Amino acid sequence: MKKDFSALSFSEKERICESIFIANGPYWHIYTDGTRMQNIFCSEEDFATGMWALAASLHLSKEVRALTFELMTNHIHLIIAGQRGYCIKAFDLFSARLKMAFPKRQRTIDWSQFKMDILPIESLQALRNEIIYTNRNAFVANPAYTPDSYPWGGGCVYFSPWLKHLITSPFGGLPILTQRALLHTREISPYADLRVISLMPFIPSFCDIKLGESMFRDARSYFNSLTRNAEAFSQIASKLKDTIFLTDEELYSVICSHISKEYSVKTPAQLTAQQKIDTARHMHFGYNATNQQLRRMLRLDMAVLEEMFP
């Protein structure tokens, strides 16, 4: 009789996750640099165009599997499994489809800075961290979202039991003109078995969410990781050159932990002026804390912060 997965021990679950990780690699984090690129997705219609471009590109790229993704206003993150060359081809196809679709959105975009970087993910724990980092991206940037409510990324369907209750339909069942309008192409036959919900691509039909979920022991371990791994997020952000990767609440918690260890005080209000400056340096260089965040949390004058971190 097959043993219930939920009844397995911690080590047994870890061994299963590790075996799945080994069997389905290699893995990569593909991303673009938002500090160089102008805003691409400025409205829901723009994001929908991006979702269809990504869905179509991944659907055609049978040699790779996306574990999750996030479309941000001026950049993208994609966690993907497959041989490096095929993964790059999948991104190139996505980029080409975006460039083809956006002239029809009546806004000129300079695509010269929309260039991908690709980083290998070489261990199970690293893959978990990269998935979490990607699924958190919009949540960190925009207080209107949680990691599971942002509609333009894979995080909203991770460990979501309501998915099985959603009614989806095959893309090929839509009127032909509607299919062509959504994909910005006349050739629609290769996409007939994509799934659609409310004229949006159904994420699990082009993104292998089940594979991504299988990298975690269970839903609880995934959820716990969403807000409890500042050091790992710092390392990833450093590689990706991301500017912000912790919310104010998370950064405040890191500050309190740091000053408790360094100065044996509980709150920033108890710090001396020099201790506040030293803490600001630690948070700026170690956790990419912005001047505005440091001003709010350490009660430092903005002129002082701008002189320290111009």
Side-chain angles (χ1 to χ4, degrees):
M1 183 176 178
K2 186 176 181 180
K3 192 173 183 179
D4 179 10
F5 185 80
S6 63
L8 297 177
S9 68
F10 178 96
S11 58
E12 288 173 323
K13 290 180 179 180
E14 277 293 285
R15 282 196 294 271
I16 291 172
C17 292
E18 188 70 41
S19 66
I20 295 172
F21 171 82
I22 293 170
N24 289 278
Y27 305 91
W28 311 89
H29 189 156
I30 289 177
Y31 65 98
T32 62
D33 187 349
T35 65
R36 297 182 179 181
M37 186 65 193
Q38 71 184 90
N39 288 351
I40 307 168
F41 308 111
C42 301
S43 65
E44 288 198 5
E45 291 77 14
D46 290 344
F47 275 107
T49 297
M51 290 285 284
W52 277 111
L54 184 63
S57 302
L58 291 174
H59 185 70
L60 290 180
S61 303
K62 304 300 185 184
E63 304 87 355
V64 305
R65 286 183 288 175
L67 280 67
T68 195
F69 67 95
E70 201 100 322
L71 301 185
M72 301 293 288
T73 303
N74 57 11
H75 68 282
I76 67 110
H77 292 275
L78 177 62
I79 307 301
I80 193 166
Q83 294 302 315
R84 187 176 187 276
Y86 288 127
C87 294
I88 292 172
K89 283 180 64 177
F91 174 84
D92 288 344
L93 183 58
F94 168 60
S95 177
R97 296 189 74 92
L98 274 183
K99 294 172 186 176
M100 177 180 68
F102 267 82
K104 303 171 185 178
R105 306 272 323 133
Q106 300 180 343
R107 180 161 54 88
T108 301
I109 295 177
D110 177 9
W111 293 100
S112 63
Q113 295 303 320
F114 191 68
K115 300 174 182 177
M116 58 144 275
D117 284 294
I118 182 168
L119 295 175
I121 305 172
E122 296 175 337
S123 71
L124 173 61
Q125 188 56 51
L127 179 57
R128 288 170 173 167
N129 292 340
E130 300 279 356
I131 290 171
I132 293 288
Y133 187 91
T134 298
N135 288 352
R136 282 170 43 92
N137 214 243
F139 155 72
V140 172
N142 190 332
Y145 296 106
T146 69
D148 61 359
S149 70
Y150 187 66
W152 318 114
C156 64
V157 292
Y158 261 65
F159 295 102
S160 298
W162 50 263
L163 281 180
K164 62 178 179 288
H165 301 296
L166 296 179
I167 299 174
T168 65
S169 57
F171 181 73
L174 295 175
I176 290 176
L177 291 180
T178 300
Q179 294 181 53
R180 288 174 173 169
L182 291 173
L183 290 179
H184 298 278
T185 182
R186 293 186 59 83
E187 181 53 52
I188 54 177
S189 58
Y191 313 100
D193 55 345
L194 270 172
R195 304 298 295 182
V196 182
I197 182 166
S198 299
L199 294 183
M200 287 295 298
F202 184 54
I203 292 172
S205 73
F206 67 89
C207 187
D208 197 339
I209 300 301
K210 290 297 182 185
L211 179 59
E213 290 177 342
S214 70
M215 300 300 162
F216 298 87
R217 292 184 299 278
D218 45 41
R220 180 187 295 167
S221 69
Y222 169 80
F223 180 79
N224 284 340
S225 298
L226 284 170
T227 56
R228 297 187 180 182
N229 212 346
E231 294 295 338
F233 301 152
S234 172
Q235 293 169 12
I236 295 171
S238 178
K239 288 189 299 182
L240 305 186
K241 299 180 176 62
D242 270 359
T243 53
I244 301 176
F245 59 88
L246 295 178
T247 64
D248 280 8
E249 292 80 6
E250 291 169 335
L251 187 65
Y252 185 78
S253 178
V254 172
I255 287 175
C256 288
S257 176
H258 172 73
I259 64 177
S260 176
K261 294 174 184 176
E262 290 293 316
Y263 309 115
S264 299
V265 299
K266 293 183 178 180
T267 68
Q270 297 173 279
L271 296 172
T272 67
Q274 185 60 49
Q275 287 170 343
K276 287 184 178 182
I277 288 173
D278 292 341
T279 299
R281 287 196 179 97
H282 180 75
M283 292 300 122
H284 174 84
F285 292 111
Y287 296 90
N288 283 14
T290 66
N291 286 353
Q292 286 290 353
Q293 286 178 315
L294 295 172
R295 178 189 63 80
R296 290 193 294 269
M297 295 178 200
L298 295 174
R299 302 289 180 88
L300 284 168
D301 188 90
M302 182 56 76
V304 173
L305 290 166
E306 288 177 347
E307 184 175 345
M308 291 171 63
F309 317 119

